[in-house]
Amino acid sequence: MVKHAQPGEASRLIVELRRIRATMLPEVGGKAANLGELIWAGLPVPPGFCLTTEAYRRALQPDAGSGSALADILRGLEAVESGDLEGLASLATRAREAVLDAGIPADVEDAVRSAYSALGPEVPVAVRSSATAEDLPFASFAGQQDTYLNVVGADAVLQAVRKCWASLWTDRAVSYRASNGIDHAAVTLAVVVQRMVDAETAGVLFTANPVTGRRREAVIDANPGLGEAVVSGAVNPDHFVVDSLTGRITERRIGDRKLVIRSIPGGGTERLDATARAEDGTAGDACLADSQIRALAVLGQRVEEHYGAPQDTEWAIDGDGKLWLTQARPITTLYPQMTRQPAVPGPHAYLCFSLAQGLTRPLTPMGLAGIRLMGSSVAGAAGFRVPEPRDGPSPYYEAGQRIYFDLTSVFRSKAGRAIVPRIFDVMESRSAAIMRALFEDPRFAVTGKTPFKLLRHVAPIVLRFRLPGILLRALFRPDVALDKVERLGENLKATHEVPANATPREKLDNAERILGEELFPILPNILPPVALGFAMIGVVRKILGEQASWGELQTIIRGLPNNVTTEMDLDLWRLSSSIREDPASAEAFTGGEPAALAERYRHGGLPVVAQSGLASFLRDYGHRAIAEIDLGMPRWSDDPTHIIGVLVNYLRLDDPRLAPDKQFENAAHDAEEQVAVLVARARSKSPLHALIVKMALERTRMFAGLRELPKYHLVRGFAAVRAQLSEVGEALADAGVIDDAGDVFFLDFNDARLGLDGKDLHDLVAQRREAYELELKRRHVPRVLLSDGTEPEALPAGFLNSGTGAAARGGAVPDGMLQGTPASAGTVTAVARVIMDPVGAHLEPGEILVAPSTDPGWTPLFLTAGGLVMEMGGPNSHGAVVAREYGIPAIVGVPDATSRISSGHTITVDGAAGTVAI
């Protein structure tokens, strides 16, 4: 018996668009929810109705044959990896067939026919898919499901509904959900049926520039006819950019007009070849008048103001000149703006400190809280006023859960312009290039021409820590200076201790004390000798001139002593040698998975040599981690899986000539020989020149390796703080205010204190974990952001006219060649291995490591790498320093290296020229 819809049931199947609000997303999907919101806001949206997700579920209920088939397919999708495109496509095809076989239940058909007839007799409509995972703030899912235009008649509408349901299972939709971690079983589909706009002109409007990130800049693409030509990318549309605040049209580009899509009377659309190009290569006048362009920009701002965030909209203008909105969704690709506004109005420029530290991933909330306290400590020492240390100093900002610093005052200072870019030349060279380009921007014109303001903040640190005395000691009594640096580490250990019977609140106090008082003095006590060591290279270059080439001076800083990071890596190599020589350990590591081996280690179940050797290594270096400046990241002592994976990789190296300890010894020997050569050249000038060059290079060799030591000690302090916070987390979990002790790292210090007072923090932790997981998926992080959201590096070509590499020298980069900054001389041709996260990474001996950036946690991989290519960094960044010491060719600051180079392809790295041949 055919079941027809009763009045109450029909109301669950059909909802008029004008009655829909955003809170109804589970019933109507993202597209319908947004359209309903636009209507409620008084914006011009064509009328229509939504066939709810209840109808989709009813058609595919489990007791139907097609529903059972879909259940089997869902189980199959759970077992398929997101990267298995062939497997996903096969299951998607089966799912579409199951949906189409299901047909439309009679009650659903009745409801659609009734709602369609209410729009008018045989009215043309657009039938659009509206999935529950669509047009969301974090993932737009644009174009993943199907839309059918100019559908006429109830039978045609019902057929389009079936096709929309099936389009939830297109190959692209299934792959998109898999890559974004969306549960296929949790997604259902509603269908929007909306009166068709017979458009004279249509297109898309972004209320912020999706390329540069600039807010309050409307970007409009338009073409005659229906907007499908623009949305599908089938045409080069007219392109307009409008300053939304002033209405000024700042950019205008006329498209080719090769295709126009029009509605056909009676239903369907036609594609017309409408080529109308003038002899000069243009297509004549724009398809929008200036008044229409400005009206679109104003309409876009109304949409953005309603949602409170930039929007990607679709629009159409009918034959009467009326403007309609047919869709709106968040622009999910924009990088977030700063979490607070600057106190001083006007344009501001922010540098990403996270990237400068080789950290592309977001920081946990507690990690950010720790950096804020440390930043306040630095600012306080420099004489800046810091009203609330837990909020960070005034230049400190956060965006996308990453650290940014406001460099506006640096850009507007003559002294700042002279000093800061030079520091970044050796730390993160592409950031330095962006800075210099921004110096040409009149909004950042110099207002401070004297160095007095800088000196006012440097002087307190110079006097408090007696920096001139430290420099003089390093210059004239280097052994004493080195001894004091080594004793500093032992003294710091005592400041990290907390009584065993301390309360959770006392442990929290102690953690804040370490971060806010104890760690900053590490920097002024260690960095002056390091600076002296590198400055001595400049002295030698000054004396010898062209007799000391850059390549020769680079050799001097290979195989440096006193570098704690290379000492760590070599200790790990020696451990692998011990494992190799012990049959039981070698057998365990050759055939075991790192995670399983880590579990055996935790239970004391590894062979004796491996167990004791790994325990000894972790006693010395277990405080280190990947992304180690984040308090929320587990230390190697918490989870040694990564280190065990590196050991497994080391055991694959069977060529004794490539042994890292031998290469390091050779590098040190080469450096000493080069010192002797340079001293001999100086002696040809005079004995005094030879004495100065010898003394200078000895200090370079003695102190340059200390460059890694400040961070080593800082991270040891972070590990002590993390241990105490973990115990606070256990107390909060025992009290029932959080689920797990690890949740404490998704709080800050204020939250933790409230938890100790009994406040329930479950919802807060859940919200922050969700936000953190979303940010982990972000692949691109801007080095520099302006206060209006602009990413300077995304501006048109030519902006970075003071950049690095061939472009900066005035030469074009040849096809098939990537340009970066030289970091470690040498040339190698080998297979590339792109690694985004070193944990669990597999790097065969001799392969070229291609990475977004590196911190000391990555460097164990360097020992067996044949070369290094990094998107971030400068000649003196962590990766560059360690690569030089191991003598592997390295290039840093290569834009988009991880996306332009593919694993398995053979590339050539020229570390002296700074080029990668792909």
Side-chain angles (χ1 to χ4, degrees), residues 475-779:
L475 184 60
F476 296 109
R477 302 184 66 192
D479 292 334
V480 174
L482 189 61
D483 184 59
K484 286 184 73 69
V485 166
E486 291 173 350
R487 288 206 311 272
L488 176 68
E490 294 304 314
N491 295 335
L492 281 168
K493 275 177 133 179
T495 68
H496 301 161
E497 295 176 1
V498 63
N501 60 350
T503 66
R505 196 174 298 274
E506 288 170 338
K507 291 173 182 175
L508 202 58
D509 290 340
N510 194 57
E512 290 196 76
R513 178 187 59 79
I514 293 173
L515 293 167
E517 300 174 17
E518 304 297 343
L519 295 185
F520 169 65
I522 294 170
L523 303 178
N525 276 293
I526 297 178
L527 287 181
V530 176
L532 177 76
F534 282 104
M536 290 294 99
I537 296 177
V539 170
V540 172
R541 188 66 191 267
K542 188 75 173 176
I543 292 173
L544 294 179
E546 296 302 317
Q547 288 185 287
S549 69
W550 165 244
E552 290 173 324
L553 292 174
Q554 206 178 40
T555 301
I556 298 295
I557 52 178
R558 290 182 58 194
L560 288 170
N562 305 319
N563 185 321
V564 69
T565 299
T566 54
E567 289 170 0
M568 172 188 75
D569 294 342
L570 291 171
D571 279 353
L572 190 61
W573 171 256
R574 283 187 279 271
L575 173 57
S576 75
S577 299
S578 299
I579 291 172
R580 185 194 302 271
E581 293 167 2
D582 177 61
S585 298
E587 182 181 1
F589 274 70
T590 301
E593 288 295 321
L597 291 170
E599 189 65 21
R600 287 180 64 183
Y601 169 76
R602 279 189 283 266
H603 291 91
L606 290 177
V608 174
V609 170
Q611 184 75 28
S612 61
L614 186 56
S616 176
F617 177 85
L618 293 176
R619 275 195 298 273
D620 292 334
Y621 303 108
H623 60 279
R624 307 221 72 157
I626 305 300
E628 58 193 3
I629 67 168
D630 184 355
L631 293 172
M633 293 300 291
R635 310 290 112 173
W636 290 342
S637 55
D638 300 327
D639 182 3
T641 303
H642 168 57
I643 286 301
I644 290 174
V646 174
L647 288 169
V648 170
N649 278 341
Y650 284 177
L651 292 173
R652 295 192 179 98
L653 183 62
D654 52 13
D655 186 344
R657 295 171 302 173
L658 300 177
D661 52 350
K662 298 300 181 186
Q663 293 195 53
F664 184 81
E665 289 174 10
N666 292 337
H669 181 263
D670 292 344
E672 295 298 341
E673 285 191 338
Q674 189 64 61
V675 168
V677 169
L678 295 177
V679 170
R681 290 176 187 170
R683 190 173 291 113
S684 67
K685 291 179 177 289
S686 76
L688 178 60
H689 284 101
L691 180 64
I692 294 173
V693 167
K694 184 175 186 296
M695 184 181 77
L697 294 180
E698 283 175 349
R699 280 145 186 79
T700 295
R701 295 282 301 160
M702 182 177 288
F703 294 129
L706 296 177
R707 178 242 187 274
E708 298 288 303
L709 191 58
K711 189 172 186 182
Y712 176 87
H713 287 316
L714 290 174
V715 171
R716 193 163 64 175
F718 289 163
V721 169
R722 176 182 166 83
Q724 291 169 36
L725 289 173
S726 295
E727 294 178 10
V728 173
E730 290 174 4
L732 293 174
D734 290 343
V737 299
I738 59 176
D739 286 329
D740 179 81
D743 289 347
V744 72
F745 298 107
F746 289 87
L747 307 173
D748 60 25
F749 288 99
N750 291 327
D751 302 325
R753 292 184 187 281
L754 292 174
L756 291 175
D757 291 335
K759 181 178 179 180
D760 188 283
L761 300 170
H762 288 90
D763 289 345
L764 180 63
V765 168
Q767 292 167 13
R768 290 187 177 163
R769 278 192 179 276
E770 182 180 9
Y772 179 77
E773 292 296 326
L774 289 175
E775 278 300 323
L776 279 175
K777 298 175 183 177
R778 190 181 297 280
R779 291 292 300 272

Side-chain angles (χ1 to χ4, degrees), residues 76-395:
L77 286 169
E78 289 178 1
V80 176
E81 296 291 334
S82 62
D84 183 2
L85 301 182
E86 186 176 341
L88 290 171
S90 174
L91 289 165
T93 299
R94 290 174 53 197
R96 289 195 300 275
E97 292 171 351
V99 174
L100 290 172
D101 289 344
I104 298 179
D107 54 348
V108 175
E109 180 178 332
D110 289 348
V112 171
R113 289 184 183 277
S114 176
Y116 174 69
S117 66
L119 291 177
E122 299 294 297
V123 62
V125 293
V127 181
R128 305 174 184 270
S129 304
S130 182
T132 52
E134 181 179 42
D135 295 351
L136 305 177
F138 62 91
S140 71
F141 285 71
Q144 300 307 309
Q145 283 82 45
D146 290 341
T147 288
Y148 298 91
L149 301 176
N150 199 39
V151 180
V152 178
D155 290 342
V157 169
L158 288 166
Q159 184 180 13
V161 165
R162 292 178 61 207
K163 291 179 178 178
C164 283
W165 283 348
S167 75
L168 185 63
W169 301 99
T170 60
D171 294 357
R172 62 184 182 272
V174 169
S175 176
Y176 194 96
R177 289 196 297 269
S179 63
N180 281 276
I182 304 294
D183 182 4
H184 299 282
V187 181
T188 54
L189 193 83
V191 180
V192 172
V193 179
Q194 191 176 20
R195 187 185 291 272
M196 186 74 185
V197 177
D198 190 9
E200 287 294 316
T201 308
V204 297
L205 159 69
F206 294 89
T207 66
N209 193 313
V211 176
T212 68
R214 181 172 292 159
R215 270 60 166 186
R216 300 293 182 179
E217 185 172 77
V219 178
I220 301 167
D221 286 343
N223 200 64
L226 301 179
E228 176 65 15
V230 177
V231 174
S232 66
V235 66
N236 291 322
D238 290 0
H239 179 80
F240 311 97
V241 179
V242 185
D243 185 323
S244 302
L245 297 177
T246 65
R248 185 170 67 92
I249 302 171
T250 59
E251 187 179 335
R252 187 193 309 267
R253 186 172 66 244
I254 308 304
D256 55 24
R257 311 280 181 79
K258 287 184 177 180
L259 176 70
V260 173
I261 300 177
R262 299 279 190 192
S263 297
I264 302 173
T269 61
E270 61 180 352
R271 301 164 72 89
L272 304 175
D273 181 356
T275 304
R277 301 179 64 83
E279 291 183 0
D280 62 358
T282 69
D285 295 333
C287 64
L288 289 175
D290 285 4
S291 59
Q292 292 174 313
I293 294 170
R294 294 190 179 94
L296 275 167
V298 170
L299 182 60
Q301 281 307 299
R302 288 178 61 193
V303 177
E304 179 174 317
E305 287 165 7
H306 175 73
Y307 283 105
Q311 298 289 304
D312 164 9
T313 70
E314 296 178 23
W315 54 270
I317 299 175
D318 65 18
D320 296 327
K322 182 173 175 57
L323 177 57
W324 296 93
L325 279 170
T326 57
Q327 192 162 318
R329 62 171 73 90
I331 306 177
T332 58
T333 56
L334 293 174
Y335 194 79
Q337 291 190 280
M338 300 300 150
T339 51
R340 62 183 175 87
Q341 294 297 313
V344 179
H348 287 253
Y350 307 95
L351 174 84
C352 187
F353 181 77
S354 292
L355 289 183
Q357 287 293 304
L359 186 61
T360 56
R361 62 183 293 143
L363 275 76
T364 59
M366 189 62 82
L368 291 169
I371 298 296
R372 288 197 295 270
L373 277 174
M374 273 206 63
S376 296
S377 174
V378 175
F384 289 95
R385 181 173 173 271
V386 184
E388 174 47 69
R390 291 177 191 165
D391 294 338
S394 57

Side-chain angles (χ1 to χ4, degrees), residues 1-31:
M1 184 176 67
V2 177
K3 180 176 183 283
H4 293 275
Q6 300 301 311
E9 294 174 325
S11 66
R12 295 199 303 272
L13 300 174
I14 297 291
V15 184
E16 290 183 82
L17 292 181
R18 64 188 179 90
R19 300 188 183 280
I20 292 175
R21 295 302 301 268
T23 55
M24 298 171 64
L25 187 143
E27 301 110 88
V28 300
K31 188 178 281 87

Side-chain angles (χ1 to χ4, degrees), residues 725-885:
L725 289 173
S726 295
E727 294 178 10
V728 173
E730 290 174 4
L732 293 174
D734 290 343
V737 299
I738 59 176
D739 286 329
D740 179 81
D743 289 347
V744 72
F745 298 107
F746 289 87
L747 307 173
D748 60 25
F749 288 99
N750 291 327
D751 302 325
R753 292 184 187 281
L754 292 174
L756 291 175
D757 291 335
K759 181 178 179 180
D760 188 283
L761 300 170
H762 288 90
D763 289 345
L764 180 63
V765 168
Q767 292 167 13
R768 290 187 177 163
R769 278 192 179 276
E770 182 180 9
Y772 179 77
E773 292 296 326
L774 289 175
E775 278 300 323
L776 279 175
K777 298 175 183 177
R778 190 181 297 280
R779 291 292 300 272
H780 175 70
V781 180
R783 289 173 171 84
V784 176
L785 273 178
L786 304 187
S787 47
D788 64 359
T790 302
E791 181 184 353
E793 207 171 7
L795 291 172
F799 171 77
L800 295 181
N801 52 17
S802 59
T804 59
R809 296 191 293 270
V813 179
D815 289 342
M817 191 78 75
L818 304 182
Q819 181 73 51
T821 300
S824 179
T827 302
V828 61
T829 299
V831 171
R833 179 70 59 183
V834 178
I835 295 178
M836 305 303 293
D837 186 338
V839 177
H842 179 90
L843 184 72
E844 289 291 338
E847 288 184 331
I848 296 171
L849 170 61
V850 182
S853 62
T854 63
D855 64 10
W858 286 71
T859 58
L861 293 174
F862 289 19
L863 284 180
T864 56
L868 172 68
V869 177
M870 288 167 46
E871 293 181 335
M872 307 296 301
N876 202 27
S877 57
H878 293 285
V881 169
V882 177
R884 280 196 299 270
E885 297 206 10

